[in-house]
């Protein structure tokens, strides 16, 4: 029925085009490689399997069809997130032989420490690493991009359309809080930015399947969680470019982004149990250039909150104090509100999906 499927996909794209939607990205199915799903089922026992090669062949067929409607859309493939291990290289070789010329992004999914995630384990990892590996998420993404280039497809870049901390003991830890979940997420986000990741998406926006105590999503029952607060801080860097930055303190991590007009945003995570005074060694910026500075911290109730922080200048360098277990943002050389306020995040379901479509 592949011909019918391709025809349906084409008509869907045309439906979008007829209604004025400028589709820029098209994702070709999700985690199709899992054993037992509708692709990898072998109900008649004759050895059928959904392989990287067969996925690539179908990808190419569908790509040719949807490109007739949206020729400039970027196309996203999906495969297992194990660069450098298992059969990742051979799978990419097989897939690219079929569809390498039409794939723009390879979507890899990352969940930190699936089944074993906890606050104490996160605190012990400096920096946090992929489960069963000494590789950071930054290194893993960079390795995937290198593999694609070495196979002759430097145009294919990594995307991460699902990432989050995994399930684990934190879900039954009475001392765990929403803030702890959110702070753990910020280190993954920092690493993805450091890697120059083009597209990333925390999974998921909201899930009705989790209770309030164990949610790790952005919204819970229409209310924004602590995760939304750190996302608000990073939203200020939209459109800027990651620039070289480094920290010489274990447990303190940094990413800096610069805008076309010289504006600079610096994000500093302190996952240690100690307050740390940091010296920002950079040229061209002084105390008068500080536009705003924020700290994301526990707030005393475990729900997370934001507060403004101060900087000072000494010996020609900017300095500030990073409280233990906080994410900090310093914005320089751009207009900012004279009296910045903690954001109010409004959540509203505009067009609910009819039950019959789910």
């Amino acid at each position: 029925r592949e011909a019918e499927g391709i025809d349906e996909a084409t008509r869907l794209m045309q439906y979008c085009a007829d209604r004025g939607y400028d589709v820029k990205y098209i994702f070709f199915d999700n985690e199709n490689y899992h054993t037992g799903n509708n692709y990898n089922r072998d109900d008649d026992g004759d050895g059928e399997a959904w392989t990287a090669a067969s996925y690539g062949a179908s990808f190419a067929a569908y790509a040719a069809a949807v490109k007739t409607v949206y020729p400039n859309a970027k196309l996203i493939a999906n495969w297992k997130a194990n660069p450098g291990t298992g059969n990742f290289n051979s799978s990419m070789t097989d897939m690219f032989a079929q569809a390498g010329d039409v794939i723009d992004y390879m979507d890899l999914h990352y969940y930190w420490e699936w089944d074993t995630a906890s606050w104490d384990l996160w605190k012990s990892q400096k920096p946090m690493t992929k489960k069963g590996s000494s590789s950071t998420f930054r290194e893993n993404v960079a390795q995937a991009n290198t593999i694609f280039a070495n196979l002759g497809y430097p145009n294919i870049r990594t995307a991460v359309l699902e990432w989050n901390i995994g399930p684990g003991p934190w879900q039954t830890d009475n001392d765990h809080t929403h803030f702890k979940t959110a702070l753990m997420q910020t280190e993954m986000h920092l690493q993805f930015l450091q890697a120059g990741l083009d597209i990333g998406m925390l999974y998921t926006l909201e899930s009705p399947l989790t209770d309030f105590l164990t949610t790790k999503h952005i919204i819970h029952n229409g209310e924004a969680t602590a995760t939304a607060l750190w996302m608000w801080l990073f939203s200020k860097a939209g459109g800027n470019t990651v620039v070289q930055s480094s920290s010489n303190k274990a447990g303190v991590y940094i990413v800096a982004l610069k805008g076309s007009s010289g504006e600079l945003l610096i994000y500093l995570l302190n996952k240690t149990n100690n307050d740390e005074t940091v010296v920002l060694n950079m040229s061209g910026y002084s105390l008068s250039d500080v536009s705003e500075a924020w700290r994301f911290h526990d707030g005393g109730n475990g729900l997370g909150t934001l507060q403004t922080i101060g900087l000072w200048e000494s010996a020609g360098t900017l300095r500030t104090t990073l409280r233990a277990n906080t994410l900090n943002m310093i914005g320089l050389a751009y207009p900012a509100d004279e009296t910045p306020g903690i954001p109010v995040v409004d959540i509203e379901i505009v067009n609910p999906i009819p039950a019959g479509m789910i």
Side-chain angles (χ1 to χ4, degrees):
R1 297 189 53 211
E2 185 168 69
E4 296 174 18
I6 292 172
D7 177 66
E8 183 179 355
T10 306
R11 287 187 287 109
L12 174 62
M13 294 297 98
Q14 191 61 56
Y15 176 92
C16 294
D18 291 344
R19 283 153 182 79
Y21 292 105
D22 183 15
V23 176
K24 296 184 181 296
Y25 298 93
I26 303 174
F27 181 40
F28 282 56
D29 230 318
N30 183 64
E31 296 188 350
N32 48 78
Y33 46 79
H34 278 316
T35 301
N37 66 14
N38 287 333
Y39 300 91
N40 267 336
R41 294 175 62 171
D42 185 18
D43 295 335
D44 54 8
D46 64 354
E48 294 167 328
W50 187 251
T51 66
S54 57
Y55 172 71
S58 290
F59 190 103
Y62 276 82
V66 300
K67 283 280 191 175
T68 62
V69 183
Y70 287 108
N72 297 321
K74 301 295 185 182
L75 308 185
I76 307 174
N78 178 226
W79 205 250
K80 302 172 187 177
N82 57 351
T85 61
N87 60 355
F88 184 85
N89 286 37
S90 60
S91 293
M92 294 300 97
T93 299
D94 293 344
M95 189 187 303
F96 293 169
Q98 301 291 330
D101 292 335
V102 291
I103 294 174
D104 295 293
Y105 291 99
M106 180 61 61
D107 171 39
L108 308 177
H109 296 171
Y110 292 98
Y111 289 91
W112 176 72
E113 290 290 343
W114 189 275
D115 286 337
T116 52
S118 72
W119 174 257
D120 289 340
L121 180 58
W122 177 71
K123 292 280 288 181
S124 72
Q125 291 185 359
K126 295 185 177 70
M128 72 191 307
T129 54
K130 192 170 180 283
K131 185 170 184 175
S133 167
S134 61
S135 173
T136 65
F137 295 103
R138 173 184 182 175
E139 293 165 341
N140 214 244
V141 169
Q143 184 177 17
N145 287 333
T146 298
I147 290 171
F148 305 154
N150 289 343
L151 291 174
Y153 297 93
N155 59 294
I156 298 178
R157 300 277 295 172
T158 301
V160 180
L161 300 187
E162 284 190 33
W163 71 265
N164 210 322
I165 64 171
W170 69 271
Q171 295 172 300
T172 55
D173 179 0
N174 292 331
D175 293 327
H176 198 82
T177 65
H178 286 287
F179 169 74
K180 289 181 177 180
T181 296
L183 198 67
M184 293 157 72
Q185 292 168 337
T186 67
E187 187 175 0
M188 288 189 75
H189 189 66
L190 280 170
Q191 289 194 16
F192 288 139
L193 284 175
Q194 291 168 341
L197 184 68
D198 295 52
I199 303 173
M201 188 179 301
L202 184 141
Y203 184 84
T204 179
L205 180 66
E206 181 175 22
S207 173
L209 304 179
T210 57
D211 61 38
F212 179 71
L213 294 178
T214 59
T215 187
K216 57 181 180 178
H217 309 304
I218 306 166
I219 304 166
H220 183 79
N221 289 340
E223 298 291 332
T225 67
T227 297
L229 293 180
W230 70 253
M231 285 189 160
W232 178 79
L233 290 179
F234 279 99
S235 72
K236 294 172 175 288
N240 293 351
T241 301
V242 175
V243 294
Q244 178 63 40
S245 61
S246 62
S247 166
N248 59 8
K249 171 69 177 180
V252 175
Y253 304 105
I254 182 174
V255 67
L257 302 99
K258 194 170 185 177
S260 58
S261 299
E263 61 271 28
L264 184 66
L265 292 102
I266 303 170
Y267 296 88
L268 293 149
L269 170 66
N270 179 11
K271 67 185 289 186
T272 75
N273 291 326
N274 303 309
D275 294 351
E276 299 286 349
T277 297
V278 295
V279 178
L280 303 175
N281 293 315
M282 56 186 178
S283 59
Y285 299 92
S286 65
L287 189 60
S288 63
D289 292 312
V290 176
S291 303
E292 58 182 337
W294 294 91
R295 174 184 297 131
F296 173 54
H297 65 105
D298 177 88
N301 58 8
L303 298 179
T305 192
L306 297 171
Q307 69 177 136
T308 56
I309 59 175
L311 289 84
W312 69 93
E313 203 164 21
S314 179
T317 58
L318 289 176
R319 304 174 185 224
T320 192
T321 298
L322 310 179
R323 298 300 183 195
N325 299 310
T326 61
L327 174 74
N328 304 265
M329 188 220 81
I330 301 166
L332 300 146
Y334 59 86
D337 293 336
E338 293 184 3
T339 55
I342 296 175
V344 176
V345 182
D346 293 321
I347 305 299
E348 179 183 0
I349 298 176
V350 179
N351 292 308
I353 301 173
M357 293 182 65
I358 300 177

